[in-house]
Amino acid sequence: MLQAALKIAKAEVEKRRFGATSRPGRSRGSASARHIPAAVRRAVHERDGGRCAFVSDAGKRCAATRFLEIDHIEPVARGGEATLENLRLLCRAHNQYAADREFGAEFMDRKREEARRARA
């Protein structure tokens, strides 16, 4: 019973976060540069195998399959687009690490604090 409930919950999360569906429809588009069409979300999730795509300097790939986020390799702030080639799945920790490397830890700490205050 618990296994069945977890399976249903996982399917719902994948549907919401990665656009997982057995019957994909057409994209309605969006004016936001940050919008990622469901078809692209599905393709990224499938290509990356539902796993963090971060690879360490030693060549080891992260094994995380939870708390995954879609990351722009070339950030939107620098003109990056929501294409399959420019997106990857990263776990929360590696997504934040990539942002720190791209924009600097101090800048990202400030932005995270601003976001925390805005949510409160």
Side-chain angles (χ1 to χ4, degrees), residues 50-64:
R51 179 176 153 201
C52 180
F54 182 84
V55 178
S56 71
D57 291 338
K60 185 174 182 198
R61 184 172 175 192
C62 178

Side-chain angles (χ1 to χ4, degrees), residues 46-119:
E46 184 177 324
R47 181 200 61 209
D48 292 348
R51 179 176 153 201
C52 180
F54 182 84
V55 178
S56 71
D57 291 338
K60 185 174 182 198
R61 184 172 175 192
C62 178
T65 58
R66 296 177 37 191
F67 307 111
L68 299 175
E69 302 173 346
I70 294 184
D71 172 60
H72 289 78
I73 297 166
E74 177 69 22
V76 171
R78 296 209 168 118
E81 297 181 356
T83 62
L84 179 60
E85 298 77 23
N86 190 47
L87 299 172
R88 62 186 171 183
L89 284 181
L90 290 182
C91 64
R92 177 89 173 146
H94 283 127
N95 195 2
Q96 291 198 352
Y97 173 73
D100 287 350
R101 289 184 64 187
E102 187 70 36
F103 296 107
E106 288 179 23
F107 176 82
M108 290 309 301
D109 286 344
R110 255 192 338 271
K111 289 297 185 182
R112 290 179 191 120
E113 183 57 34
E114 288 172 11
R116 271 192 287 277
R117 276 189 242 144
R119 284 191 304 268

